[in-house]
Amino acid sequence: MFVTFEGIEGTGKTTQIARLRDHLESRGREVFLTREPGGSRVGRELRQMLLHVNNSDLTAITELFLYLADRAQHVAQVVRPQLEAGRVVLCDRFADSTIVYQGFGRGLDIDMLRQLNEVAVDGVWPDLTIVLDLDPEVGLERATRRNSEDGKAMAEGRFEAEHLSFHRRIREGYLTWAALNRDRIKVADASSGSDEVFGRVRALIESHLPGLA
Ligand code: Z5A
């Protein structure tokens, strides 16, 4: 089983994915947790390039190809082997981030992005994708608070530096894209406390992947 989490900055993906891993492991599942960008050795180098605040001059196309390169390496070296080994793979962002950030966010052609994603994922599509939905002002506030506590802003602040209108487009993009892919992508309200949000995540897993939890 391959489950991905998506959503705007600070929506709680990292928090919820860790909770889901603990929950599934307590039920005897072997779980592998990963993320994009940066889920492979080479990907970790690409992640630094992609997220560093100093790289604000990356063109939209350069950014796109770096994310796709990260994904191709991640799928080949990490996601596919883990799935073949029988593990449940939980991934913090995947191909839908490219559609939403580079498409709805940067204005690149969605159909082109779909085709390039097909090349990068090489047949490995998630069984279920959960979009955590949140007002961007709340998400950015949560992310900023977290960054000031762990120093992340210094190293990985390129997207936080985007204007609020960019993050609003991203939120709308996720909702539009989810509506176009109802079978695979489910939206969960992420505006309440972590326990309540996890209740929604569990409910989605139980109803859409009944064999898993
Ligand atoms: N990107 C792209 O453009 N194209 C692509 O193809 C891909 C990615 C794959 C990667 O960012 C950036 O790359 C991303 C899109 C772009 N940029 N943006 N924006 P990242 O991986 O560094 O970061 P992120 O994915 O945006 O997530 P995040 O900022 O790390 O946030 P999060 O994982 O969703 O949230 P969190 O870390 O779990 O929670 C944030 C804080 O809120 C933290 O202090 C928590 O304790 C707190 N929290 C969590 N849940 C709650 C609730 N329910 N209530 C209150 N507080 C909470």
Side-chain angles (χ1 to χ4, degrees):
M1 288 288 181
F2 182 26
V3 181
T4 60
F5 279 71
E6 296 280 353
I8 61 159
E9 184 95 39
T11 194
K13 296 177 296 300
T14 310
T15 306
Q16 294 301 324
I17 221 168
R19 294 192 67 157
L20 181 59
R21 177 202 44 208
D22 295 347
H23 174 73
L24 294 176
E25 284 181 348
S26 75
R27 276 160 175 67
R29 295 277 177 183
E30 270 193 73
V31 179
F32 186 83
L33 205 154
T34 186
R35 70 171 174 180
E36 287 194 1
S40 66
R41 184 188 62 77
V42 165
R44 283 184 275 285
E45 294 186 27
L46 293 170
R47 181 180 174 93
Q48 286 186 9
M49 274 184 235
L50 278 162
L51 302 186
H52 202 284
V53 272
N54 290 351
N55 291 342
S56 59
D57 60 343
L58 281 183
T59 73
I61 295 288
T62 307
E63 180 184 81
L64 167 67
F65 280 103
L66 290 174
Y67 278 116
L68 291 167
D70 172 70
R71 183 159 309 126
Q73 190 73 7
H74 185 215
V75 168
Q77 281 198 325
V78 178
V79 179
R80 191 192 301 279
Q82 290 294 336
L83 289 170
E84 284 175 357
R87 301 198 176 91
V88 177
V89 175
L90 304 180
C91 188
D92 193 337
R93 296 193 181 280
F94 193 62
D96 300 301
S97 281
T98 299
I99 299 285
V100 174
Y101 279 84
Q102 279 61 58
F104 291 90
R106 305 281 192 225
L108 297 182
D109 181 71
I110 305 276
D111 214 47
M112 171 189 74
L113 299 176
R114 289 168 68 133
Q115 291 179 39
L116 291 171
N117 259 339
E118 291 288 353
V119 178
V121 309
D122 194 20
V124 178
W125 281 103
D127 298 288
L128 176 68
T129 295
I130 297 178
V131 171
L132 297 179
D133 180 52
L134 186 65
D135 180 334
E137 286 187 60
V138 179
L140 287 173
E141 199 184 294
R142 284 185 190 173
T144 305
R145 197 173 334 115
R146 186 266 330 272
N147 291 352
S148 65
E149 283 159 16
D150 72 8
K152 186 184 171 215
M154 294 302 289
E156 298 190 344
R158 196 166 68 88
F159 280 88
E160 281 92 335
E162 292 284 350
H163 197 270
L164 187 60
S165 60
F166 175 82
H167 295 283
R168 290 208 176 103
R169 276 208 304 287
I170 299 300
R171 184 200 196 179
E172 290 310 312
Y174 270 120
L175 296 177
T176 304
W177 189 240
L180 291 169
N181 294 273
R182 283 181 202 283
D183 285 353
R184 175 176 62 85
I185 306 181
K186 308 294 169 190
V187 178
D189 176 5
S191 63
S192 35
S194 176
D195 289 351
E196 217 173 302
V197 178
F198 186 60
R200 294 184 190 117
V201 169
R202 261 185 72 177
L204 285 174
I205 295 285
E206 283 161 10
S207 60
H208 297 285
L209 298 176
L212 187 60

